[in-house]
């Protein structure tokens, strides 16, 4: 037991040893909560004799779940076969794969992402003649998602909406949306939780089976749970009540996703006999950074009292740059990063955090000019790229022909002469018969009702049926290769011979690599702690690779799961996405009232909105280990208008004695230092031989008219960093044009023409 309790402080040990009954661990930022959770599970297995299969540990990201399992297995020296260490969604998918038939689905159901959901809503709006310019698809999806978070089904939503014109519209779309999902044998992410709760409530025998199975339950990041997740966990824990929740109400920042802070604040009301342990010793940040964080968060009233402290060094003061515009702000960030690089810090020790995605533009342009490698974390998800979605749609069609969205996506990809009229013909037949699109296609061909369109439709149907036969005997990797070959998809890309096509080919090759890794990940089930082969129908790890399993795995990957702290680049990331990460050097950008906190929170009648913004500031501050730099701009372009902003109230809440105000020192001398030999750890970075020039010191460009740009709206252009894209808008600014481009691989970007240097293709 000594090895398990080694290196734990008194409060951490107390949490590890408390294994029976409800337990609330209030874990402040950087207080070692992951160490506590892993040691607690190890203690239960090694010292209390708990069978791993009786343990359920829920985290919020696949990355965290994987790291927790690896730590656990290293600590115990054995594979944790039987223990479920997973996310909420992964856990519910596993349960539903066994029992989806009890809630109206087949067990090979598809999981819809945001794009798939939007496609379904768009079709419903078209069917009901709803103007999507007035009622956006995203708005409908937001209303439906919020209802599901609160376990409000269609019938209840309709009752609540009675008499409200807008909500009645939502109710109508909500009902049709759920019908479409069932017809397509598909669930969205909210359904994974909702349908599992429905399964438990309607099938007491199934609930009892899982209650018996999971006698010990741990939930990390409990402050981020929504009502549906709260009910799901409560149902599982009701019998044995051995539930440990770990979280920090001061880091509850996902209200917009449905998170309910009351779940953690009221835990003791739900479980009156719950033990409460506070972890307040911080192992991450300097005293100065913690003092700044404590000073800010102490202004919130709806929180459980706690104060972070550390034995670490005092550390440098928090630096503040309050400058004229976002370009000068980006200049300050670059200058300080160059200093850190010269001091021996690697690129990956630095992160720029910001409140909104739009703030990245000026920073990106500055990094490009300075030739400093960077990466936007949480940008375009690999699995959302067109070519990847195309191949996955083929796989979904092979695995689940009921998925109309997937079938329609690839029926004419690559082009095989099947136009909109042919698709409408099949859809009309499907509506008449009340069957799926693919079933209508197959039946209609058998009955010979599609006329001249039949020949081309038949070629597609025959291709899918051939690939289905291949799937029965092929690995997932081999099946993808067969899809690429037999569909002609790869041949078409290779024939293009363009940079864009080559990038897509490389992305597809990476998907093949992912499939190969998935195929190779399956091994024979391990043995239990006492050496006996476990007879376990609930094993989290399957005994063989399956197409359904692969599709499930890639569908549950979140943007943040792609972050790799070992790669050497500066991370550009929203504060919401940065939660759970830490960096030696953190830049909090855009610290202005109206931006952070947002205007909506400042003007809101609900004081909880401003408190959530303050919690977000607290999260941003506590990502820093060594240095914290705050930046703010006096003016910022908002919707085409230049706005003047005051310094953020959150900055003003930091005690002046720990704040180094650089407002009067607008220019950092970097010339001589930058020309010195960089340290070994910074040697990868190619720094310019010239002193770095700030945007404000550079030549001011002025574009006389749009014709002088050499391109216009609708033209295809190329950018040195973002590749190729389409110009969607050109707006006149004071001395330059702001150009909006929809890039193939990086999405929509806005930039000033003089700096973008776009070339018409």
């Amino acid at each position: 037991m000594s090895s398990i309790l080694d290196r734990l402080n008194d409060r951490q040990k107390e949490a590890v040893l408390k294994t029976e009954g409800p337990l609330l661990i209030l874990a402040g930022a950087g207080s070692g909560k992951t160490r506590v959770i892993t040691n607690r599970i190890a203690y239960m297995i090694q010292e209390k004799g708990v069978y791993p299969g009786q343990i359920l540990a829920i985290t919020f990201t696949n990355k965290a779940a994987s790291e927790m399992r690896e730590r656990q297995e290293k600590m115990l020296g054995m594979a944790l076969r039987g223990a479920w260490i997973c996310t909420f969604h992964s856990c519910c998918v596993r349960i539903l794969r066994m029992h989806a038939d009890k809630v109206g689905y087949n067990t090979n159901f598809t999981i819809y992402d945001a794009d798939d959901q939007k496609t379904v809503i768009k079709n419903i709006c078209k069917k009901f003649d709803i103007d999507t310019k007035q009622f956006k698809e995203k708005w409908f999806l937001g209303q439906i998602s919020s209802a599901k978070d609160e376990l409000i089904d269609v019938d209840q939503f309709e009752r609540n909406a009675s008499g409200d014109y807008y909500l009645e519209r939502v109710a109508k779309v909500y009902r049709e949306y759920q019908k479409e999902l069932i017809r397509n044998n598909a669930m969205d992410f909210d359904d994974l939780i909702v349908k599992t709760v429905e399964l438990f409530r309607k099938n007491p025998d199934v609930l009892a089976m899982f209650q018996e199975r999971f006698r010990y339950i741990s939930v990390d990041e409990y402050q981020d749970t929504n009502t549906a997740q709260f009910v799901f966990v409560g149902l599982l824990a009701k019998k044995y009540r051995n539930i440990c929740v770990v979280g920090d109400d001061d880091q509850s920042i996902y209200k917009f996703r449905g998170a309910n802070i009351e779940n953690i604040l009221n835990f003791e009301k739900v479980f009156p006999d719950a033990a409460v342990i506070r972890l307040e010793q911080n192992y991450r940040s300097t005293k100065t950074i913690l003092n700044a964080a404590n000073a800010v968060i102490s202004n919130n009233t709806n929180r459980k009292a706690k104060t972070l402290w550390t034995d670490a060094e005092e550390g440098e003061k928090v630096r503040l740059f309050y400058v004229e515009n976002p370009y000068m702000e980006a200049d300050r960030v670059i200058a300080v990063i160059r200093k850190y690089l010269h001091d021996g810090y690697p690129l990956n020790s630095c992160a720029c955090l910001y409140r909104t995605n739009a703030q990245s533009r000026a920073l990106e342009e500055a990094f490009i000019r300075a030739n400093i490698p960077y990466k936007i974390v949480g940008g375009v998800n690999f699995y959302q790229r067109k070519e990847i979605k195309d191949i996955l749609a083929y796989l979904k069609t092979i695995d689940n022909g009921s998925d109309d969205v997937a079938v329609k996506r690839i029926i004419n990809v690559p082009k095989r002469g099947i136009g909109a009229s042919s698709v409408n013909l099949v859809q009309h037949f499907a509506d008449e018969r009340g069957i799926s699109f693919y079933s209508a296609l197959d039946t209609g061909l058998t009955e010979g009702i599609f006329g001249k369109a039949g020949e081309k439709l038949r070629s597609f149907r025959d291709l899918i049926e051939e690939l289905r036969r291949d799937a029965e005997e092929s690995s997932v990797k081999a099946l993808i290769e067969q899809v690429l070959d037999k569909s002609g998809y790869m041949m078409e890309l290779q024939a293009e011979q363009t940079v864009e096509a080559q990038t897509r080919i490389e992305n597809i090759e990476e998907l093949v690599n992912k499939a190969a890794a998935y195929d190779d990940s399956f091994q024979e089930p391990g043995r239990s702690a006492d050496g006996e082969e476990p007879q376990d129908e609930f094993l989290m790890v399957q005994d063989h690779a399956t197409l359904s399993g692969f599709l499930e795995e890639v569908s549950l990957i979140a943007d943040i799961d792609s972050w790799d702290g070992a790669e050497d680049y500066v991370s550009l990331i929203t504060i919401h996405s940065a939660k759970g990460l830490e960096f030696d050097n953190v830049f909090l950008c855009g610290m202005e009232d109206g931006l952070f906190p947002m205007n909506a929170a400042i003007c809101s009648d609900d004081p909880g909105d401003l408190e959530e913004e303050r919690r977000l500031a607290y999260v941003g501050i506590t990502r820093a280990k060594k240095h914290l730099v705050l930046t703010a701009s006096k003016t910022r372009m908002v919707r085409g208008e230049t706005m003047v902003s005051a310094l953020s109230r959150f900055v003003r809440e930091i005690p002046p004695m720990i704040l180094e105000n650089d407002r009067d020192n607008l220019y950092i001398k970097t010339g001589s230092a930058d020309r010195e030999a960089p340290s070994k750890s910074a040697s990868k970075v190619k720094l310019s031989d010239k002193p770095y020039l700030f945007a404000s010191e550079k030549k001011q460009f002025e574009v006389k008219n749009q014709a002088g740009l050499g391109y216009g709206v609708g033209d295809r252009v190329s950018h040195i960093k973002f590749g190729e894209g389409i110009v969607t808008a050109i707006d006149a600014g004071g001395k330059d044009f702001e150009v909006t481009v929809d890039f193939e691989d990086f999405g929509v970007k806005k930039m000033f023409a003089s700096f973008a240097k776009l070339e018409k293709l």
Side-chain angles (χ1 to χ4, degrees):
M1 185 175 75
S2 59
S3 62
I4 293 178
L5 299 181
D6 283 349
R7 296 172 58 239
L8 297 180
N9 63 41
D10 291 343
R11 295 287 75 75
Q12 291 173 334
K13 289 177 184 177
E14 185 181 352
V16 167
L17 296 173
K18 171 65 177 170
T19 61
E20 308 299 314
L23 170 64
L24 169 61
I25 301 176
L26 290 172
S31 62
K33 68 181 178 65
T34 303
R35 181 189 303 173
V36 170
I37 297 171
T38 52
N39 278 270
R40 189 172 182 274
I41 292 174
Y43 175 74
M44 286 193 288
I45 295 171
Q46 200 171 79
E47 302 297 329
K48 303 284 287 186
V50 175
Y51 168 55
Q54 294 178 325
I55 294 171
L56 170 63
I58 297 177
T59 70
F60 264 80
T61 68
N62 295 294
K63 188 180 184 71
S66 177
E67 290 175 353
M68 187 180 294
R69 178 176 286 276
E70 288 174 6
R71 283 197 196 186
Q72 203 74 70
E73 293 180 343
K74 184 177 181 180
M75 185 179 298
L76 292 171
M78 62 178 239
L80 272 183
R81 300 292 180 179
W84 286 30
I85 302 177
C86 53
T87 65
F88 270 105
H89 292 107
S90 295
C91 178
C92 290
V93 167
R94 296 297 192 271
I95 294 170
L96 291 170
R97 289 292 182 209
M98 302 178 203
H99 302 287
D101 57 309
K102 294 180 174 63
V103 288
Y105 283 83
N106 294 327
T107 54
N108 67 331
F109 59 85
T110 296
I111 303 171
Y112 274 180
D113 62 19
D115 283 347
D116 298 328
Q117 292 176 266
K118 188 176 179 180
T119 298
V120 174
I121 293 292
K122 187 175 182 178
N123 291 336
I124 292 171
C125 289
K126 185 176 181 181
K127 178 179 179 179
F128 290 152
D129 197 26
I130 295 174
D131 183 2
T132 52
K133 291 183 179 179
Q134 181 181 3
F135 299 96
K136 301 290 185 183
E137 295 97 331
K138 189 175 181 180
W139 179 73
F140 281 116
L141 285 171
Q143 294 288 327
I144 292 170
S145 180
S146 296
K148 290 183 178 181
D149 286 344
E150 296 298 320
L151 293 175
I152 298 173
D153 62 16
V154 174
D155 292 336
Q156 185 179 346
F157 193 96
E158 280 187 342
R159 290 193 295 270
N160 296 345
S162 180
D164 186 308
Y165 171 77
Y166 294 101
L167 291 182
E168 285 179 346
R169 284 278 178 122
V170 177
K172 185 177 181 181
V173 171
Y174 186 5
R175 182 171 293 281
E176 188 65 21
Y177 175 72
Q178 289 305 117
K179 286 181 180 178
E180 281 296 309
L181 289 183
I182 293 174
R183 272 196 291 264
N184 292 352
N185 192 32
M187 297 187 195
D188 60 26
F189 277 87
D190 296 318
D191 281 332
L192 297 178
I193 313 293
V194 171
K195 292 298 178 183
T196 306
V197 171
E198 180 184 331
L199 171 70
F200 286 168
R201 284 175 166 174
K202 291 182 177 179
N203 301 273
D205 56 326
V206 175
L207 173 60
M209 179 172 60
F210 281 99
Q211 285 177 333
E212 195 64 33
R213 165 64 191 223
F214 298 125
R215 300 189 182 194
Y216 295 88
I217 301 171
S218 299
V219 183
D220 193 11
E221 305 289 3
Y222 192 67
Q223 76 280 349
D224 294 331
T225 55
N226 59 34
T227 299
Q229 292 163 338
F230 168 78
V231 172
F232 165 71
V233 171
L235 287 169
L236 279 179
K238 189 174 182 178
K239 182 173 183 180
Y240 288 99
R241 303 179 80 255
N242 295 323
I243 178 171
C244 169
V245 300
V246 187
D248 181 5
D249 52 301
D250 288 335
Q251 296 187 71
S252 179
I253 59 173
Y254 295 118
K255 182 180 179 181
F256 70 99
R257 292 181 186 170
N260 186 353
I261 192 174
E262 299 303 321
N263 290 349
I264 191 168
L265 293 177
N266 294 332
F267 185 79
E268 296 148 278
K269 294 181 180 178
V270 179
F271 296 96
D273 57 334
V276 180
I277 298 173
R278 286 173 167 80
L279 304 182
E280 297 175 298
Q281 183 174 0
N282 178 281
Y283 294 92
R284 176 188 299 159
S285 307
T286 65
K287 285 186 172 71
T288 298
I289 292 171
L290 289 188
N291 288 338
N294 287 330
V296 172
I297 200 63
S298 65
N299 289 278
N300 275 3
T301 57
N302 190 30
R303 62 186 291 260
K304 289 181 176 290
K306 72 185 81 66
T307 302
L308 293 182
W309 62 275
T310 182
D311 285 332
E313 62 184 356
E314 195 73 29
E316 294 183 10
K317 288 185 176 183
V318 177
R319 297 187 72 178
L320 169 64
F321 293 97
Y322 189 28
V323 296
E324 296 298 327
N325 58 59
Y327 294 98
M328 293 178 69
E329 179 185 30
D331 290 339
R332 301 305 174 271
V333 171
I334 292 293
V336 178
I337 286 178
R338 287 165 68 89
K339 178 183 181 301
Y340 290 152
L341 295 176
H342 184 268
D343 290 345
Y345 285 99
L347 286 167
N348 58 20
S349 71
C350 302
C352 298
L353 312 185
Y354 37 79
R355 179 64 180 83
T356 66
N357 283 301
Q359 292 171 252
S360 71
R361 177 170 62 89
L363 291 167
E364 287 185 77
E365 292 176 1
F367 276 97
I368 292 170
R369 292 195 304 272
N371 198 26
I372 294 179
Y374 72 93
K375 182 176 180 181
I376 294 182
V377 182
V380 179
N381 187 313
F382 175 79
Y383 296 100
Q384 296 301 313
R385 292 170 181 167
K386 179 187 181 302
E387 60 277 9
I388 303 303
K389 292 215 51 153
D390 287 344
I391 302 308
L392 291 178
Y394 268 102
L395 299 181
K396 290 177 181 179
T397 300
I398 294 166
D399 187 54
N400 171 25
S402 299
D403 186 349
D404 289 2
V405 173
V407 178
K408 290 179 181 178
R409 181 183 181 93
I410 46 90
I411 194 170
N412 196 42
V413 176
K415 295 187 184 304
R416 47 177 65 94
I418 301 175
S421 59
S422 297
V423 172
N424 291 337
L425 185 64
V426 177
Q427 186 60 57
H428 181 69
F429 182 60
D431 293 339
E432 281 185 344
R433 296 286 181 95
I435 56 180
S436 71
F437 183 89
Y438 188 82
S439 295
L441 172 64
D442 189 32
T443 303
L445 288 171
T446 302
E447 298 179 6
I449 66 170
F450 295 140
K452 292 181 180 180
E455 183 178 347
K456 293 173 181 176
L457 291 171
R458 187 182 303 278
S459 68
F460 173 71
R461 191 276 309 269
D462 291 347
L463 169 65
I464 297 301
E465 293 305 315
E466 182 181 356
L467 290 170
R468 282 182 173 173
R469 291 190 293 271
D470 292 338
E472 294 176 1
E473 301 178 355
S474 301
S475 65
V476 178
K477 172 181 176 290
L479 178 60
I480 293 175
E481 290 171 338
Q482 287 160 347
V483 167
L484 294 168
D485 179 36
K486 294 180 178 181
S487 70
Y489 197 98
M490 185 62 80
M491 184 183 299
E492 183 177 79
L493 282 178
Q494 290 169 340
E496 286 186 30
Q497 295 185 338
T498 63
V499 174
E500 181 181 350
Q502 182 58 38
T503 299
R504 289 184 170 180
I505 290 172
E506 291 171 359
N507 288 337
I508 290 173
E509 289 172 347
E510 185 58 32
L511 179 65
V512 173
N513 293 339
K514 167 65 180 177
Y518 171 79
D519 290 332
D520 293 342
S521 67
F522 291 90
Q523 302 172 355
E524 290 299 313
R527 295 182 178 274
S528 59
D530 60 3
E532 295 297 321
E533 188 74 23
Q535 301 299 314
D536 192 347
E537 63 179 305
F538 297 99
L539 276 178
M540 189 58 147
V541 182
Q542 298 168 259
D543 60 359
H544 65 285
T546 65
L547 179 55
S548 293
F550 176 75
L551 290 170
E552 173 189 310
E553 184 167 309
V554 300
S555 70
L556 295 175
I557 292 176
D559 293 346
I560 195 62
D561 292 329
S562 65
W563 181 80
D564 185 355
E567 292 187 31
D568 207 23
Y569 54 72
V570 177
S571 294
L572 272 59
I573 183 170
T574 65
I575 305 175
H576 280 104
S577 295
K579 188 169 175 295
L581 306 180
E582 58 183 41
F583 304 89
D584 283 337
N585 311 301
V586 167
F587 298 80
L588 277 182
C589 305
M591 299 299 293
E592 306 131 32
D593 268 3
L595 181 59
F596 195 18
M598 300 283 280
N599 261 326
I602 294 173
C603 301
S604 174
D605 293 331
D606 181 1
D609 292 339
L610 186 57
E611 293 212 346
E612 174 140 346
E613 289 284 299
R614 186 174 282 109
R615 291 194 294 269
L616 190 58
Y618 174 81
V619 167
I621 292 169
T622 55
R623 298 312 94 197
K625 297 165 67 176
K626 300 293 185 183
H627 303 105
L628 175 64
V629 179
L630 309 177
T631 68
S633 174
K634 295 177 182 177
T635 63
R636 194 175 295 272
M637 186 77 73
V638 180
R639 292 184 292 277
E641 299 290 334
T642 299
M643 308 296 290
V644 179
S645 302
L647 192 63
S648 171
R649 64 195 63 201
F650 301 149
V651 176
R652 288 179 268 136
E653 290 169 356
I654 297 174
M657 69 281 298
I658 63 172
L659 195 64
E660 181 181 335
N661 192 332
D662 283 295
R663 281 184 294 184
D664 299 325
N665 182 23
L666 296 183
Y667 298 93
I668 302 171
K669 295 179 181 179
T670 62
S672 59
D674 289 342
R675 286 194 290 270
E676 295 175 10
S679 63
K680 184 176 180 181
S681 62
S683 60
K684 295 181 183 179
V685 186
K686 182 181 177 184
L687 300 178
S688 171
D689 290 334
K690 299 178 181 179
Y692 184 78
L693 293 177
F694 294 117
S696 55
E697 299 173 289
K698 293 186 177 184
K699 176 182 177 182
Q700 294 295 314
F701 295 92
E702 184 172 357
V703 180
K704 299 297 183 184
N705 53 64
Q706 284 196 32
L709 295 175
Y711 52 81
V713 175
D715 285 340
R716 191 168 190 81
V717 295
S718 176
H719 185 274
I720 189 173
K721 170 70 178 179
F722 304 124
E724 297 180 6
I726 303 293
V727 177
T728 59
I730 300 177
D731 299 312
K735 292 188 176 182
D736 202 351
F737 285 102
E738 185 177 73
V739 184
T740 303
V741 183
D742 187 355
F743 290 103
E744 189 66 40
D745 295 319
F746 290 87
V748 177
K749 301 287 181 186
K750 291 185 178 182
M751 57 197 74
F752 284 117
S754 55
F755 289 117
K757 294 183 174 61
L758 298 170
E759 293 185 5
K760 182 178 177 180
L761 298 177

